[in-house]
Amino acid sequence: MTTELSSYDRHAISSTASSEEANDPLVRLVSRRHPLYEAMSKHWMFMDDTYSGGREWFNHHIFKYIKEGDAEFKDRISRAYRFNHTREVVDLINKYLFKQEITRNKVDAPADVVKFWKNCTKSGLTINDFVRQISKKTSIYGRIGVVIDMDAVPEEEKEAGLSAYAYIITPLQMLDYSFDDHGKLNWMLIHEVVRDDEDPLNSTGKAIHRFRLWTKTEWKLFEKQNDDQNGKITIKEIDRGRICFNAIVNILKIEQR
């Protein structure tokens, strides 16, 4: 199943490749980062870590004093306490933003739009619940993306209407992108993490790193594969599809830099 990037996943993302691996155009593609990503990724990680909290926060964001010994520093970390005011403030603001009932014009809206409002994610969230998530993630990162896609529908079922769904991508997943001369998105490379957990007996439970390339006409899905014998990393294309009326990429709050 697809999972949200955790701290260990994010810190494991590397934009470097060996000279041999760099000769592979797919390795170069997934290793390259947009200048804004290079400049802001550590800050985005800090904001995410600070909202999430937990003991791991101290290991990444508490530093030694000038003359502090290793044992003293370790003891200070073990004794440290931090009440998560960051989460409290973000959640409180989000609560007040959505305190009043949201009204939408369901009478004049197309049937497919109303259907989307009732069930707009793979997990079955309504549009009201989903926009709450968008608001919270925007408060954490300052900028996010939303992908709106549609399930592949057999020809004989298309008359029943399209099945659209949406999901959030954080700025840490937006590895690279390009705009054309008119300010429209040319393409975007998104990092995804799935867990091998479908079979409870035979699955490994390991995180699998994938990279989805969206263009104006098609999408391609690549998977990072490690050779355990020589440690070489390879990138394999595992799926692709065309973008037409039944697939939309809607990126929110992307600045051209």
Side-chain angles (χ1 to χ4, degrees):
M1 63 173 290
T2 302
T3 62
E4 186 171 329
L5 290 175
S6 63
S7 294
Y8 68 86
D9 289 323
R10 292 187 282 102
H11 289 290
I13 300 172
S14 174
S15 60
T16 61
S18 67
S19 56
E20 181 180 355
E21 293 166 351
N23 292 326
D24 184 337
L26 293 183
V27 173
R28 291 200 303 270
L29 171 68
V30 303
S31 299
R32 193 175 65 183
R33 300 291 179 266
H34 191 277
L36 183 60
Y37 186 99
E38 294 281 12
M40 296 292 296
S41 58
K42 290 183 179 180
H43 182 59
W44 292 328
M45 288 182 188
F46 171 73
M47 291 191 291
D48 188 21
D49 289 345
T50 303
Y51 178 85
S52 300
R55 297 302 306 175
E56 194 67 20
W57 186 89
F58 297 98
N59 295 328
H60 290 296
H61 306 296
I62 299 296
F63 306 98
K64 290 177 65 175
Y65 297 132
I66 295 176
K67 295 183 179 181
E68 187 175 23
D70 292 338
E72 290 81 3
F73 176 65
K74 184 177 179 181
D75 289 342
R76 182 161 64 90
I77 292 293
S78 66
R79 295 192 305 268
Y81 171 77
R82 169 182 173 262
F83 182 81
N84 198 337
H85 291 285
T86 307
R87 180 192 289 268
E88 291 288 316
V89 170
V90 168
D91 290 351
L92 185 62
I93 291 175
N94 215 46
K95 173 184 175 181
Y96 284 118
L97 280 175
F98 295 95
K99 187 175 183 179
Q100 295 189 3
E101 183 179 356
I102 300 172
T103 58
R104 292 183 171 85
N105 187 354
K106 298 180 181 179
V107 176
D108 297 328
D112 285 334
V113 173
V114 175
K115 179 182 176 182
F116 177 75
W117 288 345
K118 292 179 179 179
N119 186 353
C120 65
T121 68
K122 288 277 192 178
S123 61
L125 292 180
T126 66
I127 188 64
N128 288 359
D129 292 331
F130 185 56
V131 294
R132 286 188 181 94
Q133 287 192 355
I134 292 175
S135 174
K136 183 175 73 172
K137 293 292 186 182
T138 303
S139 294
I140 294 170
Y141 294 103
R143 60 196 299 273
I144 63 166
V146 173
V147 176
I148 302 175
D149 200 357
M150 299 190 183
D151 287 320
V153 180
E155 194 66 33
E156 61 272 13
E157 297 181 14
K158 286 186 177 179
E159 292 183 1
L162 301 174
S163 181
Y165 64 93
Y167 58 92
I168 294 170
I169 52 173
T170 73
L172 288 165
Q173 293 175 263
M174 300 182 230
L175 304 182
D176 201 3
Y177 47 86
S178 165
F179 292 93
D180 63 19
D181 293 337
H182 301 286
K184 296 182 179 179
L185 199 64
N186 272 326
W187 55 266
M188 171 170 281
L189 182 68
I190 297 174
H191 177 227
E192 302 175 355
V193 176
V194 296
R195 185 169 181 257
D196 179 21
D197 60 0
E198 186 172 355
D199 187 331
L201 298 178
N202 300 312
S203 57
T204 64
K206 293 182 178 179
I208 302 171
H209 292 267
R210 291 177 176 173
F211 305 88
R212 192 178 300 270
L213 177 64
W214 291 93
T215 71
K216 292 180 178 180
T217 58
E218 63 179 351
W219 59 265
K220 296 180 181 180
L221 184 62
F222 307 99
E223 186 173 288
K224 178 182 177 182
Q225 300 176 354
N226 297 322
D227 189 329
D228 294 332
Q229 293 184 346
N230 57 27
K232 184 179 180 182
I233 297 174
T234 57
I235 305 297
K236 300 291 185 181
E237 181 181 327
I238 61 173
D239 201 2
R240 66 164 61 194
R242 294 199 63 79
I243 296 177
C244 49
F245 68 91
N246 67 330
I248 307 169
V249 182
N250 180 22
I251 303 299
L252 303 181
K253 296 186 180 296
I254 294 242
E255 301 173 12
Q256 300 181 51
R257 297 189 183 182

